[in-house]
Amino acid sequence: MITAGIDVGSTYSKAVLLSADGGGTIVGSAMIPSGFRMEAAATEALERALAHAGIARDDVAYIISTGQGRYQVPWRDLQVTDLTAQARGARHFFPRTRTVLDVGGQTMKASRLDDRGRVASFRLNDKCAAGTGAFLEKSARYLGYATEQIGQLAASSASAASISGVCAVFAESEVINHVSQGVPPADIMHGAMVSLVTRAVQLMKRAKVEPEVTLVGGIMRFPTMPAVLAEQLKLPVNVPPDAMAQMTAAVGAAVLAQQRLAKRAA
């Protein structure tokens, strides 16, 4: 049986198709910008994932939605919170995960899981953009780089510039000040990542971080980010393979759909 997980985020909508072959193989996936028409974005993401897998809509037995726009998917069978979906997705890739850090475009969340993989405690950022992926994207645009270039830019840094602002406005002012002083863009971007990581570590400590730690969210596809996090945490960290860090919640929703079908069959 094929199940689908639909993650309708504030920035991107993702769809993942999972087969019940024992290993839970991902047979199709897609990601598109969410825009302001979240239902349409979710539908298109699913259609693209179906095309990727080469299967029809009728082949999908169960659909679970998650993310900020999860209620905007009227054709879902069930909806779950993104915390629950991320926990299941992280455990799908790394079964011994006990702590999950999710850095999204608009929010940052740290959650600690129990022995069964359920969320035991969690903490959210304080809704400041300096603690989300949006801060890195805005910094990159100011420096004249696209989002896709953030990882390569930061990786080429010789030394991270100091960015200590606790608010996005002040942090952005520091970025502008570094530019005016001729600091290399790579060092500024590296500094922005270190600043974001500092907030992430504080959040994880409030959630009482335990190993293993799994990092998810689009920002984690840039190698510098997990490397700096591992250094500050003084712990090894996991990152889902093949750019799946940005798709983990959709994967988790599809996993939950498989479990739902198994209970129904039983």
Side-chain angles (χ1 to χ4, degrees):
M1 302 291 285
I2 302 293
T3 58
I6 312 294
D7 175 17
V8 187
S10 58
T11 308
Y12 291 99
S13 291
K14 289 81 71 175
V16 166
L17 302 174
L18 203 68
S19 70
D21 58 2
T25 302
I26 297 172
V27 297
S29 63
M31 179 175 68
I32 66 167
S34 293
F36 62 91
R37 298 177 58 204
M38 289 189 167
E39 179 184 343
T43 300
E44 184 177 349
L46 177 60
E47 290 175 351
R48 291 192 184 190
L50 291 168
H52 179 211
I55 61 176
R57 176 74 173 267
D58 292 342
D59 295 324
V60 179
Y62 206 90
I63 298 172
I64 291 183
S65 64
T66 188
Q68 180 177 314
R70 61 187 181 275
Y71 294 107
Q72 303 299 315
V73 186
W75 32 265
R76 70 186 186 274
D77 294 294
L78 189 70
Q79 60 82 22
V80 298
T81 68
D82 45 353
L83 285 169
T84 297
Q86 292 286 21
R88 291 296 191 278
R91 280 284 181 112
H92 176 77
F93 293 111
F94 305 101
R96 298 177 65 183
T97 296
R98 293 301 295 262
T99 303
V100 180
L101 174 68
D102 173 18
V103 182
Q106 303 296 328
T107 60
M108 181 192 294
K109 311 178 189 73
S111 54
R112 181 168 50 85
L113 312 184
D114 63 17
D115 293 335
R116 300 178 62 186
R118 296 181 177 179
V119 177
S121 69
F122 68 91
R123 294 291 185 272
L124 308 179
N125 73 329
D126 56 3
K127 296 185 179 181
C128 175
T132 69
F135 171 57
L136 293 187
E137 294 181 353
K138 189 170 184 179
S139 296
R141 287 196 298 270
Y142 185 82
L143 294 170
Y145 291 87
T147 300
E148 295 75 19
Q149 296 174 290
I150 290 176
Q152 183 178 0
L153 182 63
S156 65
S157 168
S159 176
S162 174
I163 297 177
S164 57
V166 296
C167 169
V169 175
F170 296 130
E172 289 164 15
S173 295
E174 289 185 74
V175 170
I176 294 170
N177 187 48
H178 284 313
V179 171
S180 66
Q181 293 179 357
V183 176
D187 293 349
I188 297 174
M189 183 53 61
H190 189 182
M193 281 193 175
V194 171
S195 174
L196 182 57
V197 165
T198 299
R199 290 168 175 77
V201 170
Q202 292 171 350
L203 197 69
M204 294 171 78
K205 288 181 177 178
R206 287 167 53 200
K208 298 182 179 179
V209 57
E210 295 179 3
E212 292 183 11
V213 177
T214 297
L215 310 176
V216 300
I219 297 302
M220 298 307 169
R221 69 188 188 275
F222 307 133
T224 301
M225 191 76 179
V228 175
L229 262 164
E231 180 181 350
Q232 289 202 21
L233 284 172
K234 295 179 173 54
L235 289 171
V237 296
N238 303 321
V239 180
D242 304 324
M244 282 290 118
Q246 200 164 2
M247 311 284 282
T248 313
V251 171
V255 168
L256 286 166
Q258 290 284 349
Q259 295 172 355
R260 192 81 174 180
L261 285 180
K263 288 182 179 179
R264 178 187 289 178

